Amino acid sequence: MIFISAAIIGLVLLPINHLGNSVGDDLFRWIGISPWAQGDRYGFHLPVILGSLLLIFGTIGVVNIYRPQYPKIMSRLILGYIAIMLIFPFVTEQLFFLTKFNSTSISSVAYSKKESQCNYSSEGKQVKAVCKLNIYNYGKLEQATIRPIMNGWLVPTEFKPKVVTLHPQSQTFLNEVFYGEQIEDTERQGSGSGIGLEIEVNGYKKKFE
């Protein structure tokens, strides 16, 4: 039983949802632990390490116990794991659209870092960012206030929030321009992916970092 439990827990931690986050990431953040050993997306990815070890341990144990009765159990388990990993993003996406179909609260909108990026330039303390943002609106929300979060910048920058129009029940790539201010006078330009986003709806805020 311990091997089956270990394999199941490992399999729960590893799959990636449609937003590009693993279930393990969300569970770690929910209990107040960073999924990364060193801050945001730096160091060892703890849920992946833990999930992989549990899955390997559980699979070896299950195979050793049941192989005499089911000679092909190893190949069947591996195919099952691959199938779960492949269909999980589609299942989570459809589940969110189904359960939040009529919602107009902040819970009905989400942001994915996948395929999102910003091109930025600065002059003095003024910063301009031209961004493509991957937004999910699962329900019937029509507007939200958003601003990019770029914690990885060498010079901290605060962008001004902007009100955007959302399409109901859809995934949309928003192309928006944001203006902000950095704490030091410096001139630079470039582009970045993995951009975070703050979303505000009716006074409630949610950050995707």
Side-chain angles (χ1 to χ4, degrees):
M1 186 66 181
I2 186 174
F3 297 115
I4 296 176
S5 298
I8 292 174
I9 294 172
L11 198 58
V12 167
L13 293 174
L14 291 174
I16 305 296
N17 64 22
H18 62 291
L19 299 177
N21 304 317
S22 74
V23 177
D25 288 352
D26 294 333
L27 288 175
F28 270 56
R29 292 192 181 100
W30 183 71
I31 62 177
I33 300 176
S34 172
W36 296 87
Q38 300 176 16
D40 184 29
R41 297 187 178 272
Y42 293 99
F44 295 110
H45 195 186
L46 302 179
V48 171
I49 294 173
L50 178 60
S52 298
L53 291 175
L54 288 171
L55 187 61
I56 293 170
F57 170 76
T59 300
I60 292 174
V62 169
V63 169
N64 288 337
I65 293 173
Y66 292 101
R67 177 173 277 166
Q69 187 175 0
Y70 304 101
K72 296 182 179 180
I73 188 171
M74 175 64 85
S75 60
R76 299 292 171 81
L77 285 175
I78 292 175
L79 289 175
Y81 297 158
I82 294 173
I84 290 173
M85 298 292 183
L86 291 176
I87 67 173
F88 190 76
F90 173 79
V91 171
T92 57
E93 181 183 58
Q94 297 305 311
L95 181 63
F96 273 74
F97 277 117
L98 179 64
T99 58
K100 299 180 183 294
F101 185 81
N102 290 314
S103 176
T104 57
S105 69
I106 195 169
S107 67
S108 67
V109 62
Y111 167 71
S112 173
K113 292 183 178 181
K114 293 193 304 181
E115 301 182 61
S116 295
Q117 67 174 21
C118 290
N119 298 315
Y120 58 86
S121 60
S122 66
E123 183 175 346
K125 290 187 176 181
Q126 303 304 309
V127 183
K128 175 183 177 181
V130 181
C131 300
K132 181 180 76 170
L133 304 171
N134 189 1
I135 303 290
Y136 282 85
N137 183 14
Y138 306 114
K140 298 181 178 180
L141 190 65
E142 296 181 353
Q143 284 188 334
T145 302
I146 63 174
R147 69 177 183 90
I149 302 173
M150 298 184 179
N151 291 330
W153 281 25
L154 294 177
V155 181
T157 303
E158 184 79 13
F159 285 96
K160 297 177 181 178
K162 186 175 185 179
V163 177
V164 296
T165 299
L166 303 175
H167 299 290
Q169 291 102 32
S170 67
Q171 175 198 10
T172 305
F173 284 97
L174 297 180
N175 295 292
E176 301 290 341
V177 179
F178 297 89
Y179 295 92
E181 187 173 293
Q182 55 191 2
I183 63 174
E184 298 178 9
D185 288 338
T186 181
E187 292 187 12
R188 59 199 172 94
Q189 59 182 7
S191 62
S193 57
I195 306 301
L197 193 73
E198 179 184 86
I199 300 178
E200 181 178 353
V201 176
N202 297 326
Y204 294 95
K205 294 181 180 180
K206 181 163 57 172
K207 289 185 177 182
F208 298 86
E209 297 182 284

